[in-house]
Amino acid sequence: AEERAMLAYLQELLPRFTHLVTYNGRTFDWPVLQNRFILNGYRHFKWEPVHIDLLHPSRSIWRNTLVSCRLSHVEEERLGIQRTDDVPGSQAPAIYFQFLADADPQPLLGVFLHNESDMLSLTCLAIRFGHLLEGRIGTYVVHPTEPEEILRTGLWLEKMGALQHAEELYVRLSEESHTPASCLCMLAERDKKCGNWPRAVLLWQKAVQGSRRSDWPDWNAHIELAMYFEHKTRQLDEALILAEEALSLVQHRYSGLRLDAKRRAEIDNIRKRIERLRNKTGRLYG
């Protein structure tokens, strides 16, 4: 019953501000609030702030290194925040409806404290991303230790225009001795698009060497390196060796499995590459 009055108050308050900071607010909270304005008769209310949704950089950096990108989990794992006696946000509606039923405001205190903690966490998270953009990794922000987090932090920084700081992370990643092949290939793909062929080749070669020592090897680097040797440097013998090794790896991986169309196409493409390279080397040296 008081919603329209609350929105009237909010309508007067919001234009004082230029920025809106949320966590998943761009796709959920803010559209819901805009709809409530319309349903309550405020169809002409316009407020277009700079909307900073911190869920998106969080997902960009931590989507594969954290179990979840929920704000509570990011708090614990990356901000060092431990909530005690916190009322889960999912319980807030039930607590509010109970207040409407019995007019006892005491349980609402937990909801207010939860919301306050959310805002403080957003502040901490915004500060952390600000430090990243200013290149303060290793000083104000602990340097990430997981290879994928190093890579994705760099990719996010590059996307945000901080290429110099991103490159520092790329160099660190490329020099790590235990970087998994998946991360090496992701960085190599980035370098390939940017025309940084020397480092892309080194990364693929490193990934190939790693796959030869792995119990669960990957063959993407073999194919990329074979393509490079075939089309860029015309080192056809090297390209053929890599393609044949890739075929051996993929056949071993899929041995005993029922192949779907995608896997069959993958094997067929490698075989066609091998056949083409054998023909080329035959023409060249025959």
Side-chain angles (χ1 to χ4, degrees):
E2 297 180 357
E3 181 177 315
R4 196 169 191 280
M6 292 178 178
L7 291 172
Y9 169 73
L10 198 58
Q11 180 182 228
E12 296 297 323
L13 182 66
L14 289 178
R16 304 180 194 175
F17 302 95
T18 59
H19 290 67
L20 173 64
V21 182
T22 65
Y23 202 82
N24 198 31
R26 186 181 299 277
T27 55
F28 179 72
D29 301 89
W30 183 236
V32 168
L33 192 55
Q34 287 177 311
N35 286 335
R36 301 314 298 178
F37 273 112
I38 293 172
L39 291 173
N40 282 274
Y42 299 106
R43 296 179 178 275
H44 302 293
F45 173 63
K46 294 291 183 183
W47 182 59
E48 298 179 352
V50 176
H51 192 159
I52 303 172
D53 189 338
L54 295 178
L55 173 64
H56 298 294
S58 297
R59 278 181 175 166
S60 294
I61 295 175
W62 296 310
R63 61 185 171 191
N64 288 335
T65 50
L66 295 182
V67 174
S68 167
C69 282
R70 292 175 63 89
L71 182 58
S72 59
H73 196 70
V74 172
E75 287 177 1
E76 294 178 6
E77 296 295 326
R78 290 299 180 268
L79 300 178
I81 296 173
Q82 298 288 335
R83 297 196 191 191
T84 57
D85 300 324
D86 183 58
V87 173
S90 59
Q91 293 183 13
I95 293 173
Y96 181 70
F97 285 124
Q98 184 61 40
F99 159 70
L100 294 180
D102 60 23
D104 179 10
Q106 183 60 34
L108 289 176
L109 176 60
V111 179
F112 285 121
L113 293 175
H114 171 86
N115 292 340
E116 181 183 51
S117 295
D118 278 353
M119 289 189 286
L120 292 173
S121 293
L122 287 184
T123 303
C124 294
L125 200 53
I127 291 171
R128 181 188 179 95
F129 289 134
H131 286 322
L132 289 178
L133 291 169
E134 291 296 324
R136 295 170 181 155
I137 300 176
T139 53
Y140 289 88
V141 179
V142 175
H143 204 294
T145 57
E146 297 183 47
E148 181 152 346
E149 185 170 339
I150 295 174
L151 173 63
R152 292 196 179 278
T153 300
L155 294 173
W156 178 75
L157 286 171
E158 183 174 357
K159 180 181 177 181
M160 299 298 292
L163 179 58
Q164 178 182 346
H165 304 320
E167 185 60 31
E168 293 170 1
L169 293 174
Y170 296 154
V171 170
R172 181 186 178 102
L173 185 69
S174 64
E175 293 176 350
E176 290 280 347
S177 58
H178 301 295
T179 302
S182 58
C183 291
L184 293 172
C185 288
M186 286 175 63
L187 180 54
E189 182 64 22
R190 177 264 172 201
D191 286 342
K192 175 183 175 180
K193 292 178 180 178
C194 296
N196 187 358
W197 289 103
R199 188 169 68 190
V201 171
L202 289 175
L203 291 167
W204 286 324
Q205 290 172 332
K206 191 173 180 179
V208 167
Q209 292 300 321
S211 72
R212 290 168 179 165
R213 301 188 299 269
S214 174
D215 295 329
W216 192 255
D218 186 87
W219 51 87
N220 288 330
H222 291 74
I223 298 301
E224 290 290 347
L225 204 51
M227 292 168 58
Y228 175 81
F229 284 145
E230 179 183 1
H231 301 296
K232 287 287 185 180
T233 63
R234 308 294 296 172
Q235 295 172 269
L236 301 181
D237 287 332
E238 288 81 355
L240 179 57
I241 291 171
L242 287 162
E244 289 175 338
E245 187 172 348
L247 180 61
S248 176
L249 290 173
V250 72
Q251 287 177 330
H252 179 72
R253 173 79 65 84
Y254 295 157
S255 176
L257 298 178
R258 183 175 180 178
L259 300 182
D260 56 20
K262 182 179 179 181
R263 287 173 174 172
R264 287 197 299 269
E266 185 178 18
I267 294 174
D268 288 343
N269 287 336
I270 296 175
R271 284 176 172 157
K272 289 177 183 177
R273 182 176 302 280
I274 291 172
E275 182 180 357
R276 184 176 67 250
L277 286 166
R278 285 175 176 170
N279 289 334
K280 285 185 176 181
T281 53
R283 286 198 299 270
L284 192 60
Y285 300 111

